[in-house]
């Protein structure tokens, strides 16, 4: 759906594809990905995006089976850890929700890290009403299982995508695990690590008191007037002159603004 909702907006896969094509990147990391869910016309979103931009490699990591906010359950051990362009048909055909990566750069291997979920939910503040305007309101939200998905790329980078818990403290612990894991993967594969995604942490907290630097300083939420930064691109070793922040327009399909960097 268009966020904030607009009359006569196109909420189908065509709007998603058009939005992605405006970003013109070599690798994309997505949170809140639907895979064959009825609410998104039972489409494999990562595969559709990959095909639309001519990318061979794509993957999604299921965090839950079913539709969040409606009917869902935790992934069972016999169900796929990662669904990708290399998955057999039996693994591809699951109704699930999670995070994903689409890459024009050849992917040498995919990896997944389980992060669990907070036993407690929280009342979260939602800016505006259904029109995207009006007074903020609170809704109670139960935390879902979280994960990190990594792509070891042919170009010498390992890109780790994640969507952390919104529960304070729990998300910081998750981020520490993701950073350690990213560095271990990078060391074992001879690559450089990048961690990115919706970290649900404000005020540059993901980089405070650590060797990691935030490559982007930009308010990303909500998309109709960014007030706070929840989304980051982190690196332990990229320095000034090796990268530049990209200026992307709002996509019109998300409540977060897109961010990106060019690495030289």
């Amino acid at each position: 759906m268009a966020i904030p909702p607009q009359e006569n907006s196109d909420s189908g896969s065509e709007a998603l594809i058009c939005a992605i094509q405006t970003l013109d990147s070599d690798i994309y990391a997505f949170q809140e990905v639907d895979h064959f869910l009825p609410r998104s016309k039972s489409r494999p979103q990562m595969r559709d995006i990959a095909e639309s931009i001519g990318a061979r490699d794509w993957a999604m990591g299921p965090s839950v089976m079913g539709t969040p906010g409606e009917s869902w359950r935790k992934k069972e051990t016999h169900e796929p850890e990662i669904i990708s362009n290399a998955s057999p048909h039996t693994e591809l055909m699951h109704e699930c929700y999670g995070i994903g990566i689409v890459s024009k750069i050849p992917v040498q291997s995919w990896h997944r890290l389980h992060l669990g979920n907070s036993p407690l939910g929280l009342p979260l503040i939602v800016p505006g009403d259904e029109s995207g305007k009006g007074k903020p309101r609170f809704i109670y939200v139960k935390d879902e299982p979280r994960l990190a998905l990594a792509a070891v790329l042919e170009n010498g980078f390992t890109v780790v995508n994640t969507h952390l818990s919104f529960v304070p403290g729990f998300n910081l612990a998750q981020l520490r695990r993701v950073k350690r894991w990213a560095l271990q993967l990078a060391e074992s594969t001879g690559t450089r690590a990048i961690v990115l995604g919706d970290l649900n942490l404000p005020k540059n907290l993901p980089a405070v008191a650590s060797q990691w630097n935030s490559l982007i300083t930009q308010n990303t939420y909500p998309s109709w007037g960014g007030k706070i930064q929840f989304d980051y691109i982190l690196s332990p070793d990229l320095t000034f002159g090796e990268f530049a922040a990209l200026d992307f327009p709002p996509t019109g399909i998300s409540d977060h603004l897109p961010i990106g960097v060019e690495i030289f």
Side-chain angles (χ1 to χ4, degrees):
M1 61 181 294
I3 300 177
Q6 302 172 12
E7 292 184 7
N8 303 318
S9 65
D10 180 1
S11 60
S13 58
E14 290 185 4
L16 174 62
I17 298 304
C18 289
I20 298 306
Q21 290 175 340
T22 65
L23 302 180
D24 189 25
S25 183
D26 290 323
I27 183 166
Y28 301 79
F30 301 92
Q31 299 80 45
E32 301 186 1
V33 172
D34 285 359
H35 186 75
F36 286 115
L37 294 183
R39 69 178 181 182
S40 52
K41 300 186 178 181
S42 298
R43 297 296 309 168
Q45 289 184 329
M46 294 298 90
R47 187 179 72 181
D48 286 350
I49 290 171
E51 290 177 351
S52 74
I53 62 173
R56 183 193 67 183
D57 292 315
W58 63 268
M60 72 91 59
S63 59
V64 301
M65 312 307 288
T67 304
E70 298 178 17
S71 176
W72 63 270
R73 59 172 174 80
K74 292 185 177 181
K75 188 187 77 67
E76 297 180 357
T77 55
H78 69 275
E79 292 170 319
E81 299 278 304
I82 297 172
I83 300 172
S84 74
N85 52 289
S87 295
H89 184 75
T90 53
E91 291 188 359
L92 183 67
M93 303 302 294
H94 284 80
E95 292 185 5
C96 53
Y97 165 92
I99 60 176
I101 294 175
V102 173
S103 180
K104 295 179 182 178
I105 302 165
V107 176
Q108 295 181 330
S109 59
W110 297 103
H111 306 266
R112 172 184 174 129
L113 174 69
H114 298 278
L115 296 173
N117 62 293
S118 169
L120 301 175
L122 283 179
L124 297 184
I125 189 169
V126 178
D129 54 24
E130 285 77 7
S131 67
K133 302 177 181 179
K135 295 182 179 180
R137 66 193 194 280
F138 285 91
I139 57 173
Y140 181 82
V141 180
K142 181 181 178 182
D143 197 22
E144 300 153 1
R146 309 287 175 158
L147 71 139
L149 178 67
V152 178
L153 303 178
E154 189 178 79
N155 69 350
F157 282 88
T158 291
V159 175
V160 179
N161 177 29
T162 192
H163 185 185
L164 300 183
S165 171
F166 50 77
V167 178
F170 198 84
N171 49 20
L172 278 171
Q174 289 177 326
L175 180 58
R176 285 194 291 269
R177 288 186 60 199
V178 172
K179 287 177 176 177
R180 287 197 301 268
W181 183 64
L183 291 175
Q184 290 167 359
L185 273 178
E187 182 178 5
S188 66
T189 57
T191 56
R192 303 173 74 180
I194 291 176
V195 170
L196 73 168
D198 179 356
L199 306 186
N200 272 317
L201 290 163
K203 299 183 181 299
N204 204 37
L205 282 177
V208 171
S210 79
Q211 71 180 91
W212 294 75
N213 297 312
S214 175
L215 308 186
I216 291 286
T217 302
Q218 173 190 327
N219 290 342
T220 60
Y221 181 83
S223 60
W224 54 91
K227 299 294 191 298
I228 192 168
Q229 181 172 7
F230 283 146
D231 306 88
Y232 296 84
I233 301 175
L234 305 175
S235 166
D237 55 17
L238 281 173
T239 58
F240 181 78
E242 291 186 284
F243 68 93
L246 298 175
D247 184 18
F248 288 137
T251 63
I253 61 168
S254 173
D255 56 348
H256 289 242
L257 292 168
I259 58 174
V261 295
E262 181 180 5
I263 299 175
F264 305 128

